[in-house]
Each structure stands twice: as structure tokens, then as C-alpha cells.
Amino acid sequence: MYPLKAVVIGRDDNVLPGIRRELLNARGDVDAVYTSVSAAIENFDLPHDESRLFILRLDSADDLASLKHLSGVFAGRPILALFDGSPPGNVVVRAMREGATQVVVVPFHSDDFQEALRSIETQFGHAVGQSR
């Protein structure tokens, strides 16, 4: 399903195995893992003609500035935001306005994660430069 490699950003190693499993089920792969947005920006070199799915773990609404920064640096690339528990609706809306393509609640259910990937695929699923 999802043709892009993923860059996972977050401090929670407990979620990474589930992310890897869900990406594998979607024929995707984890390309890199970073503990923070700043580390990803400093260390991940992405050629302009390539894309990645960024999966960002957000601990709270205070992390939305990091989401906005990531979205600005890697403009045009999809970002799947992971939130603990059930964030208030206004936080989800703010996350989407700051650049999240999809939001998934942690702990996530496989069906929810896969639905988010399918939605992202609808928007970004083809290689850069191709269209339907």
C-alpha cells in the first residue's frame, strides 16, 4: 500500500515496534529514527526529489511548535502525528493546522493506524513527479 519510507521521531521506544509492524503490513519501512524534531532536522538529509512519511510522537499540545517546525523544513511531505490518550478536539485541529496530515491516538489500534496510512496514500501515495 504505502510506497514511502518513514522517519520516526519521538522518545517512546515502546511505540516503535508497533509502528514498524504497521508499516511492514503496509509494505513500508522505517528509514530512520530520531528522538527529537531538532535531531531529525540536523541529521536527516532528504533530497528534494524524494519523499518520506514522517511519524511524529507528540507528548502534549506544547509539542505543536515542533510539528510546525518539522512541517516547514520538510514542506510537502506527509506527517502522521501520534498523540497519547484522547487529545481534546481543538488540539487535533491545531495539529492539522501546524502540518499534521493525519492524527492517531496512542496506544493505537491497527485498523486506525492503517486507515491513517490509507488516507495519506490517497494524498501522497505516488512517487514524486507522478500523478494518476
Side-chain angles (χ1 to χ4, degrees):
M1 176 182 62
Y2 201 77
L4 297 177
K5 294 182 179 181
V7 176
V8 179
I9 304 169
R11 294 180 280 279
D12 189 351
D13 291 335
N14 296 327
V15 177
L16 186 57
I19 293 170
R20 287 185 189 276
R21 180 185 62 244
E22 295 306 324
L23 286 171
L24 182 63
N25 289 339
R27 293 185 300 276
D29 192 20
V30 175
D31 191 31
V33 177
Y34 298 99
T35 58
S36 68
V37 168
S38 60
I41 290 170
E42 290 173 19
N43 297 298
F44 190 70
D45 185 31
L46 183 61
H48 75 280
D49 62 341
E50 291 186 21
S51 192
R52 293 292 185 279
L53 166 63
F54 289 89
I55 301 176
L56 175 61
R57 177 72 183 265
L58 300 169
D59 295 321
S60 71
D62 295 337
D63 294 331
L64 292 175
S66 294
L67 170 61
K68 184 175 185 174
H69 189 196
L70 179 70
S71 177
V73 172
F74 295 105
R77 275 50 176 237
I79 300 172
L80 174 60
L82 303 176
F83 268 106
D84 280 326
S86 295
N90 66 329
V91 173
V92 173
V93 170
R94 286 181 52 209
M96 298 192 79
R97 287 185 179 146
E98 299 297 356
T101 308
Q102 288 288 311
V103 175
V104 173
V105 176
V106 174
F108 58 81
H109 298 286
S110 179
D111 291 346
D112 189 35
F113 198 93
Q114 292 300 322
E115 184 63 31
L117 289 179
R118 282 189 292 276
S119 293
I120 291 170
E121 180 186 32
T122 298
Q123 291 180 279
F124 300 92
H126 295 278
V128 173
Q130 291 182 346
S131 62
R132 289 186 175 208

PDB file of all heavy atoms in Angstrom, residues 64 67 83 87-100 103:
ATOM      1  N   LEU A  64       3.354  21.129  19.668  1.00  0.00           N
ATOM      2  CA  LEU A  64       2.861  21.549  18.356  1.00  0.00           C
ATOM      3  C   LEU A  64       3.823  22.483  17.632  1.00  0.00           C
ATOM      4  O   LEU A  64       3.871  22.502  16.405  1.00  0.00           O
ATOM      5  CB  LEU A  64       1.478  22.178  18.478  1.00  0.00           C
ATOM      6  CG  LEU A  64       0.371  21.204  18.885  1.00  0.00           C
ATOM      7  CD1 LEU A  64      -0.941  21.955  19.100  1.00  0.00           C
ATOM      8  CD2 LEU A  64       0.200  20.099  17.859  1.00  0.00           C
ATOM      9  N   LEU A  67       6.076  20.321  15.676  1.00  0.00           N
ATOM     10  CA  LEU A  67       5.358  19.842  14.493  1.00  0.00           C
ATOM     11  C   LEU A  67       5.390  20.896  13.392  1.00  0.00           C
ATOM     12  O   LEU A  67       5.682  20.595  12.232  1.00  0.00           O
ATOM     13  CB  LEU A  67       3.919  19.488  14.856  1.00  0.00           C
ATOM     14  CG  LEU A  67       2.955  19.196  13.706  1.00  0.00           C
ATOM     15  CD1 LEU A  67       3.410  18.011  12.883  1.00  0.00           C
ATOM     16  CD2 LEU A  67       1.549  18.969  14.250  1.00  0.00           C
ATOM     17  N   PHE A  83      -0.584  10.980  19.219  1.00  0.00           N
ATOM     18  CA  PHE A  83      -0.896  11.631  20.500  1.00  0.00           C
ATOM     19  C   PHE A  83      -1.244  10.578  21.538  1.00  0.00           C
ATOM     20  O   PHE A  83      -1.936   9.601  21.237  1.00  0.00           O
ATOM     21  CB  PHE A  83      -2.123  12.544  20.360  1.00  0.00           C
ATOM     22  CG  PHE A  83      -1.803  13.953  20.018  1.00  0.00           C
ATOM     23  CD1 PHE A  83      -2.046  14.421  18.739  1.00  0.00           C
ATOM     24  CD2 PHE A  83      -1.280  14.829  20.953  1.00  0.00           C
ATOM     25  CE1 PHE A  83      -1.776  15.732  18.404  1.00  0.00           C
ATOM     26  CE2 PHE A  83      -1.006  16.145  20.633  1.00  0.00           C
ATOM     27  CZ  PHE A  83      -1.255  16.602  19.353  1.00  0.00           C
ATOM     28  N   PRO A  87      -6.633  13.350  22.868  1.00  0.00           N
ATOM     29  CA  PRO A  87      -6.434  14.798  22.954  1.00  0.00           C
ATOM     30  C   PRO A  87      -7.751  15.533  22.680  1.00  0.00           C
ATOM     31  O   PRO A  87      -8.589  15.041  21.918  1.00  0.00           O
ATOM     32  CB  PRO A  87      -5.408  15.086  21.869  1.00  0.00           C
ATOM     33  CG  PRO A  87      -5.565  13.973  20.895  1.00  0.00           C
ATOM     34  CD  PRO A  87      -5.990  12.778  21.694  1.00  0.00           C
ATOM     35  N   PRO A  88      -7.930  16.682  23.295  1.00  0.00           N
ATOM     36  CA  PRO A  88      -9.131  17.482  23.002  1.00  0.00           C
ATOM     37  C   PRO A  88      -9.204  17.806  21.507  1.00  0.00           C
ATOM     38  O   PRO A  88      -8.182  17.921  20.832  1.00  0.00           O
ATOM     39  CB  PRO A  88      -8.925  18.757  23.823  1.00  0.00           C
ATOM     40  CG  PRO A  88      -7.891  18.424  24.839  1.00  0.00           C
ATOM     41  CD  PRO A  88      -7.050  17.329  24.248  1.00  0.00           C
ATOM     42  N   GLY A  89     -10.425  17.950  21.009  1.00  0.00           N
ATOM     43  CA  GLY A  89     -10.623  18.230  19.588  1.00  0.00           C
ATOM     44  C   GLY A  89      -9.869  19.443  19.096  1.00  0.00           C
ATOM     45  O   GLY A  89      -9.342  19.449  17.986  1.00  0.00           O
ATOM     46  N   ASN A  90      -9.763  20.482  19.943  1.00  0.00           N
ATOM     47  CA  ASN A  90      -9.058  21.675  19.497  1.00  0.00           C
ATOM     48  C   ASN A  90      -7.562  21.404  19.306  1.00  0.00           C
ATOM     49  O   ASN A  90      -6.917  22.031  18.476  1.00  0.00           O
ATOM     50  CB  ASN A  90      -9.285  22.849  20.461  1.00  0.00           C
ATOM     51  CG  ASN A  90      -8.681  22.627  21.828  1.00  0.00           C
ATOM     52  OD1 ASN A  90      -8.585  21.498  22.307  1.00  0.00           O
ATOM     53  ND2 ASN A  90      -8.290  23.711  22.468  1.00  0.00           N
ATOM     54  N   VAL A  91      -7.000  20.437  20.050  1.00  0.00           N
ATOM     55  CA  VAL A  91      -5.589  20.090  19.886  1.00  0.00           C
ATOM     56  C   VAL A  91      -5.391  19.356  18.561  1.00  0.00           C
ATOM     57  O   VAL A  91      -4.407  19.591  17.856  1.00  0.00           O
ATOM     58  CB  VAL A  91      -5.075  19.262  21.079  1.00  0.00           C
ATOM     59  CG1 VAL A  91      -3.669  18.763  20.832  1.00  0.00           C
ATOM     60  CG2 VAL A  91      -5.122  20.093  22.361  1.00  0.00           C
ATOM     61  N   VAL A  92      -6.318  18.488  18.208  1.00  0.00           N
ATOM     62  CA  VAL A  92      -6.232  17.773  16.928  1.00  0.00           C
ATOM     63  C   VAL A  92      -6.325  18.770  15.773  1.00  0.00           C
ATOM     64  O   VAL A  92      -5.541  18.706  14.821  1.00  0.00           O
ATOM     65  CB  VAL A  92      -7.333  16.696  16.823  1.00  0.00           C
ATOM     66  CG1 VAL A  92      -7.349  16.082  15.428  1.00  0.00           C
ATOM     67  CG2 VAL A  92      -7.133  15.625  17.881  1.00  0.00           C
ATOM     68  N   VAL A  93      -7.246  19.705  15.861  1.00  0.00           N
ATOM     69  CA  VAL A  93      -7.381  20.728  14.818  1.00  0.00           C
ATOM     70  C   VAL A  93      -6.097  21.553  14.730  1.00  0.00           C
ATOM     71  O   VAL A  93      -5.590  21.817  13.633  1.00  0.00           O
ATOM     72  CB  VAL A  93      -8.608  21.635  15.088  1.00  0.00           C
ATOM     73  CG1 VAL A  93      -8.614  22.836  14.159  1.00  0.00           C
ATOM     74  CG2 VAL A  93      -9.891  20.836  14.930  1.00  0.00           C
ATOM     75  N   ARG A  94      -5.556  21.957  15.875  1.00  0.00           N
ATOM     76  CA  ARG A  94      -4.294  22.714  15.875  1.00  0.00           C
ATOM     77  C   ARG A  94      -3.163  21.904  15.248  1.00  0.00           C
ATOM     78  O   ARG A  94      -2.349  22.439  14.490  1.00  0.00           O
ATOM     79  CB  ARG A  94      -3.918  23.145  17.292  1.00  0.00           C
ATOM     80  CG  ARG A  94      -4.768  24.287  17.809  1.00  0.00           C
ATOM     81  CD  ARG A  94      -4.377  24.731  19.200  1.00  0.00           C
ATOM     82  NE  ARG A  94      -2.951  25.016  19.309  1.00  0.00           N
ATOM     83  CZ  ARG A  94      -2.264  24.883  20.447  1.00  0.00           C
ATOM     84  NH1 ARG A  94      -2.849  24.477  21.549  1.00  0.00           N
ATOM     85  NH2 ARG A  94      -0.977  25.171  20.457  1.00  0.00           N
ATOM     86  N   ALA A  95      -3.108  20.603  15.541  1.00  0.00           N
ATOM     87  CA  ALA A  95      -2.065  19.747  14.965  1.00  0.00           C
ATOM     88  C   ALA A  95      -2.177  19.718  13.443  1.00  0.00           C
ATOM     89  O   ALA A  95      -1.170  19.816  12.737  1.00  0.00           O
ATOM     90  CB  ALA A  95      -2.167  18.332  15.536  1.00  0.00           C
ATOM     91  N   MET A  96      -3.392  19.646  12.940  1.00  0.00           N
ATOM     92  CA  MET A  96      -3.567  19.629  11.488  1.00  0.00           C
ATOM     93  C   MET A  96      -3.208  20.983  10.882  1.00  0.00           C
ATOM     94  O   MET A  96      -2.623  21.045   9.804  1.00  0.00           O
ATOM     95  CB  MET A  96      -4.970  19.170  11.140  1.00  0.00           C
ATOM     96  CG  MET A  96      -5.154  17.735  11.661  1.00  0.00           C
ATOM     97  SD  MET A  96      -6.569  16.866  11.117  1.00  0.00           S
ATOM     98  CE  MET A  96      -6.125  16.350   9.516  1.00  0.00           C
ATOM     99  N   ARG A  97      -3.513  22.047  11.582  1.00  0.00           N
ATOM    100  CA  ARG A  97      -3.140  23.380  11.087  1.00  0.00           C
ATOM    101  C   ARG A  97      -1.633  23.604  11.134  1.00  0.00           C
ATOM    102  O   ARG A  97      -1.105  24.398  10.358  1.00  0.00           O
ATOM    103  CB  ARG A  97      -3.868  24.457  11.886  1.00  0.00           C
ATOM    104  CG  ARG A  97      -5.333  24.512  11.521  1.00  0.00           C
ATOM    105  CD  ARG A  97      -6.059  25.634  12.197  1.00  0.00           C
ATOM    106  NE  ARG A  97      -7.447  25.630  11.763  1.00  0.00           N
ATOM    107  CZ  ARG A  97      -8.458  25.976  12.514  1.00  0.00           C
ATOM    108  NH1 ARG A  97      -8.263  26.384  13.763  1.00  0.00           N
ATOM    109  NH2 ARG A  97      -9.685  25.934  12.045  1.00  0.00           N
ATOM    110  N   GLU A  98      -0.955  22.915  12.034  1.00  0.00           N
ATOM    111  CA  GLU A  98       0.501  23.049  12.145  1.00  0.00           C
ATOM    112  C   GLU A  98       1.231  22.113  11.186  1.00  0.00           C
ATOM    113  O   GLU A  98       2.443  22.140  11.103  1.00  0.00           O
ATOM    114  CB  GLU A  98       0.965  22.789  13.584  1.00  0.00           C
ATOM    115  CG  GLU A  98       0.399  23.755  14.609  1.00  0.00           C
ATOM    116  CD  GLU A  98       0.822  25.203  14.410  1.00  0.00           C
ATOM    117  OE1 GLU A  98       1.628  25.506  13.515  1.00  0.00           O
ATOM    118  OE2 GLU A  98       0.328  26.060  15.163  1.00  0.00           O
ATOM    119  N   GLY A  99       0.488  21.257  10.462  1.00  0.00           N
ATOM    120  CA  GLY A  99       1.125  20.453   9.431  1.00  0.00           C
ATOM    121  C   GLY A  99       0.877  18.960   9.475  1.00  0.00           C
ATOM    122  O   GLY A  99       1.349  18.238   8.593  1.00  0.00           O
ATOM    123  N   ALA A 100       0.171  18.451  10.473  1.00  0.00           N
ATOM    124  CA  ALA A 100      -0.105  17.011  10.516  1.00  0.00           C
ATOM    125  C   ALA A 100      -1.084  16.639   9.403  1.00  0.00           C
ATOM    126  O   ALA A 100      -2.098  17.292   9.215  1.00  0.00           O
ATOM    127  CB  ALA A 100      -0.684  16.618  11.870  1.00  0.00           C
ATOM    128  N   VAL A 103      -3.808  12.241  12.325  1.00  0.00           N
ATOM    129  CA  VAL A 103      -3.545  12.115  13.753  1.00  0.00           C
ATOM    130  C   VAL A 103      -4.052  10.754  14.206  1.00  0.00           C
ATOM    131  O   VAL A 103      -5.167  10.366  13.865  1.00  0.00           O
ATOM    132  CB  VAL A 103      -4.246  13.236  14.558  1.00  0.00           C
ATOM    133  CG1 VAL A 103      -4.063  13.030  16.049  1.00  0.00           C
ATOM    134  CG2 VAL A 103      -3.725  14.602  14.130  1.00  0.00           C
TER     135      VAL A 103
END
